[in-house]
Amino acid sequence: MNTLGIIGGTGLPGFDGLQLQRRETATTPWGTPSGPLLRGRIADRPVVFLARHGAPHTLAPHAVNYRANVWALREAGVREVIAINAVGGIGDEYPPGCLVIPDQLIDYTWGREHSYCGGAGRVLQHIDFTTPYSAALRERLLRAAPRAGLEVIDGAVYGVTQGPRLETAAEIDRMARDGCGIVGMTGMPEAALARELELDYACCAVVVNRAAGRGEDIHGELERWVESGMAAVRRLVQAVLAETVE
Ligand code: HPA
């Protein structure tokens, strides 16, 4: 049976409902991952959970060792990964609280270790990244949503910024002109690294605020959207796993 990897982002340092079997400390040729791999079962299926920012949340988006994280998951037997990312909504169609399964991304990050090529004896590869997310895994997320009693939005361009600061209003306007619907800081290079290792990778984005200059966010609302959004994500992941055919 396939082991599903789950990378939890802001608001998801652990996974309620995970029946923990082992905490595994991994080392990789690329350094150490953000934290221990939590191996266990959800809906009676094998999973490995990793908190992207560490638990407690200490690693900033640019300081995450994405290469070690993705490598460690693969070494742990994972072949498909659902990545959970908190994001801001740029378009009106992505209000706080909604879940989005993006189908495209634009990478605005810089200076991150973004490839395995040229290290640890790995040959140069020009991966096909035309469609950055696995169509099959996206489909499973979308199909699971109604069974979990959730509405999720099918498709968006996820613009990935460097952070850790939020964007200026002009930067968000530019991203909107580029076609971005949502903005976050952790979607890359994770997705490309997963493709280099031939993992099936899809993202479930949780909109927790309106992007800069796109309307008022009421102080204190963000935590509320993070909490309710991550509760919805847990239901969605459980529904995906409950449907998995061996
Ligand atoms: N911008 C960038 N990253 C984010 C945001 C945002 O507005 N919200 C959550 N992550």
Side-chain angles (χ1 to χ4, degrees):
M1 192 194 300
N2 275 340
T3 300
L4 176 73
I6 304 167
I7 303 180
T10 299
L12 206 67
F15 200 102
D16 285 353
L18 169 71
Q19 292 166 268
L20 185 64
Q21 292 167 327
R22 267 200 314 280
R23 296 166 75 86
E24 298 172 359
T25 309
T27 48
T28 80
W30 317 96
T32 48
S34 301
L37 304 181
L38 305 184
R39 190 183 288 279
R41 296 179 86 80
I42 297 173
D44 212 26
R45 309 281 165 177
V47 300
V48 173
F49 178 89
L50 175 61
R52 185 186 289 115
H53 299 280
H57 187 305
T58 47
L59 293 167
H62 65 282
V64 170
N65 189 338
Y66 296 94
R67 292 195 299 186
N69 285 354
V70 176
W71 191 274
L73 286 173
R74 190 172 190 284
E75 287 292 291
V78 163
R79 293 294 175 268
E80 47 190 27
V81 175
I82 296 178
I84 316 297
N85 302 75
V87 298
I90 297 176
D92 289 341
E93 61 275 46
Y94 308 107
C98 73
L99 301 192
V100 187
I101 313 299
D103 59 341
Q104 276 296 334
L105 62 80
I106 299 180
D107 187 5
Y108 300 92
T109 68
W110 49 270
R112 300 183 182 188
E113 296 287 1
H114 63 283
S115 174
Y116 295 110
C117 291
R122 292 187 63 87
V123 294
L124 175 62
Q125 283 178 285
H126 297 291
I127 52 162
D128 184 341
F129 207 44
T130 313
T131 50
Y133 300 112
S134 156
L137 194 49
R138 285 190 72 252
E139 197 49 46
R140 277 165 59 197
L141 283 158
L142 292 167
R143 264 204 327 264
R147 278 182 291 106
L150 296 167
E151 273 185 36
V152 300
I153 299 177
D154 178 0
V157 179
Y158 176 2
V160 191
T161 55
Q162 176 69 358
R165 68 165 177 83
L166 293 166
E167 300 71 33
T168 66
E171 285 169 335
I172 292 296
D173 288 344
R174 184 182 70 169
M175 292 177 76
R177 289 194 298 276
D178 285 352
C180 297
I182 54 177
V183 53
M185 301 174 191
T186 49
M188 282 292 281
E190 199 174 88
L193 293 166
R195 182 63 55 84
E196 284 192 7
L197 296 188
E198 297 179 3
L199 305 180
D200 279 340
Y201 177 99
C203 163
C204 176
V206 182
V207 179
V208 298
N209 62 286
R210 290 182 202 282
R214 300 277 151 154
E216 290 295 299
D217 277 306
I218 300 157
H219 188 66
E221 290 259 282
L222 190 134
E223 285 77 12
R224 183 164 74 80
W225 292 123
V226 169
E227 202 178 308
S228 64
M230 295 308 158
V233 163
R234 281 195 292 272
R235 277 165 43 211
L236 184 62
V237 170
Q238 265 154 354
V240 168
L241 284 161
E243 192 213 24
T244 303
V245 182
E246 286 169 45

